[in-house]
Amino acid sequence: MPGEFQRLETPPGADYARPHSVNAAGDVVAAVKGQLVRWPAGGAAHEVLAPPVPGEVADPYLDDEGRIAFTLYTGGRATIQLRHPDGRFQELLPPEPTGGMLAVQLHAGRVAGHLGLSSTVVWGVDGAVRQRINEEPRAIDGAGRVLTAGNGAGQARLWQDGALVSELPWQYRADTQNALLEDGSVVGAMRAGASKYYPARLRCQ
């Protein structure tokens, strides 16, 4: 089927740019040479969104309301920042001191982050901690469900409001790309043997 191809401009000084997240409106965000870059929907031009604290931006995520969550490295410290549609930046504070945090996903105003070695924290847009799970985060959806990497046995698990909802089949791989869909499905990869995998959609009860 024919379509229209539009190349988004590469920021000056960069050899390339890889999009990291896109929302329903068609806005695109990426981290390019440590900067937070956005391409608004409908055009090829980019804009650099500079946080108030200098640092290196990584892993930006965009939701349909225009918020952007990202990891900011500054002075040997990693924090999770949230940029609101009005241009305001907000640091999401951990529930206790930690050596660093990584943004994992943003969906419908909920930010999932990786805290320390193997812990999940979910914040609301007001900066309040909504969930804390002692497993590594993989994905979050608009209802607040969280997919984690499991309990050490490699079995992915699904959480809601901090409570365990479901354990996925052991063949499901949580260390690949994962998604939680609004209909309750989990999308990812299933093992089919030694080093063999296939894409799958699972309906969790």
Side-chain angles (χ1 to χ4, degrees):
M1 167 173 161
E4 181 182 351
F5 175 82
Q6 181 183 40
R7 179 170 179 170
L8 305 181
E9 67 180 21
T10 302
D15 296 326
Y16 63 90
R18 291 194 182 103
H20 195 271
S21 182
V22 60
N23 65 12
D27 299 322
V28 178
V29 294
V32 183
K33 295 183 73 68
Q35 295 181 308
L36 178 59
V37 178
R38 178 175 64 187
W39 292 265
H46 76 281
E47 53 188 1
V48 176
L49 308 175
V53 178
E56 183 173 336
V57 171
D59 302 326
Y61 295 90
L62 179 67
D63 71 6
D64 290 343
E65 288 73 38
R67 304 180 190 94
I68 305 172
F70 59 95
T71 305
L72 181 67
Y73 295 94
T74 178
R77 178 171 171 258
T79 61
I80 296 178
Q81 305 284 330
L82 180 64
R83 186 188 187 276
H84 294 269
D86 61 4
R88 176 172 49 95
F89 285 85
Q90 174 185 10
E91 180 179 344
L92 300 180
L93 300 175
E96 71 270 345
T98 178
M101 304 186 295
L102 300 175
V104 172
Q105 205 167 49
L106 167 66
H107 195 96
R110 292 179 175 88
V111 182
H114 192 169
L115 176 68
L117 295 177
S118 58
S119 186
T120 299
V121 177
V122 178
W123 293 268
V125 295
D126 57 357
V129 174
R130 302 298 172 85
Q131 295 189 62
R132 172 72 185 272
I133 304 167
N134 290 322
E135 296 181 8
E136 294 182 23
R138 288 296 180 264
I140 188 171
D141 71 0
R145 299 184 310 155
V146 179
L147 179 69
T148 66
N151 56 3
Q155 187 172 19
R157 309 208 289 183
L158 196 62
W159 302 77
Q160 175 85 55
D161 300 324
L164 180 63
V165 173
S166 178
E167 290 189 331
L168 276 65
W170 67 268
Q171 297 96 331
Y172 183 86
R173 288 203 52 167
D175 57 349
T176 60
Q177 291 294 323
N178 304 273
L180 292 177
L181 307 184
E182 300 305 323
D183 66 357
S185 300
V186 180
V187 177
M190 295 282 285
R191 296 180 181 91
S195 302
K196 295 181 179 179
Y197 308 94
Y198 60 91
R201 182 185 295 111
L202 307 177
R203 176 73 180 184
C204 299
Q205 302 298 325

